């Protein structure tokens, strides 16, 4: 994903933090457990890219499946990866504008749209 897409997704995380607290894990072919962001309610964080390898949706799925404290997972993505294994908890997808998941799913999929005539999220 490009830097603009990363910024757009971080804007959505800023909005989500108005409602709840959560943790953000970065992943490519592995989940980075050292650079976790513990997003506190109402806080903001600068958009950063921590990982930049190939994408494997099994990485965050396995991480969630192996951690009993995780009660839900939202994967922010451009959708460009094959279908992952099943997840023991609810999994949702947020897909950047102009992209789609490369597979069918019954899980919640939110397709972001770019605002016409604006650079804002």
């Amino acid at each position: 994903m490009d830097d603009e897409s990363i910024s757009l997704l971080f804007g959505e995380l800023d909005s989500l933090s108005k409602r709840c607290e959560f943790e953000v894990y970065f992943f490519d072919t592995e989940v980075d457990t050292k650079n976790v962001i513990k997003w506190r309610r109402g806080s903001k964080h600068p958009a950063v890219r921590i990982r930049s390898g190939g994408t494997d949706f099994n990485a965050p799925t396995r991480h969630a499946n192996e951690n009993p404290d995780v009660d839900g997972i939202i994967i922010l993505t451009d959708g460009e990866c094959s279908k992952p294994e099943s997840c023991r908890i609810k999994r949702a997808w947020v897909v950047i504008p102009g992209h789609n998941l490369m597979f069918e799913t019954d899980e919640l999929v939110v397709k972001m749209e770019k605002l016409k005539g604006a650079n804002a999220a």
Side-chain angles (χ1 to χ4, degrees):
M1 287 192 288
D2 61 19
D3 291 341
E4 181 181 348
S5 296
I6 299 286
S7 292
L8 187 64
L9 292 170
F10 266 74
E12 292 303 315
L13 293 173
D14 285 341
S15 294
L16 179 61
S17 77
K18 293 175 185 173
R19 298 179 169 263
C20 62
E21 294 184 358
F22 52 90
E23 294 179 345
V24 174
Y25 289 85
F26 298 90
F27 75 96
D28 47 24
T29 60
E30 298 178 328
V31 172
D32 182 343
T33 58
K34 294 180 181 169
N35 292 297
V36 178
I37 296 175
K38 295 185 185 231
W39 214 300
R40 302 290 178 222
R41 192 175 197 136
S43 65
K44 292 184 180 271
H45 292 272
V48 294
R49 176 187 308 275
I50 302 294
R51 309 288 283 198
S52 60
T55 301
D56 182 355
F57 292 145
N58 284 318
T61 299
R62 288 180 185 142
H63 178 78
N65 285 342
E66 293 167 0
N67 288 283
D69 295 337
V70 177
D71 56 5
I73 180 174
I74 302 171
I75 298 177
L76 310 175
T77 182
D78 60 9
E80 296 182 9
C81 185
S82 58
K83 185 173 185 170
E85 59 197 44
S86 62
C87 195
R88 70 169 178 80
I89 56 176
K90 289 189 177 190
R91 178 174 53 195
W93 306 86
V94 175
V95 184
I96 61 172
H99 292 262
N100 295 298
L101 288 179
M102 295 178 62
F103 53 88
E104 295 292 321
T105 183
D106 291 334
E107 298 167 322
L108 176 65
V109 177
V110 177
K111 290 179 166 184
M112 297 177 73
E113 293 183 9
K114 205 169 224 182
L115 295 176
K116 293 180 181 176
N119 291 331

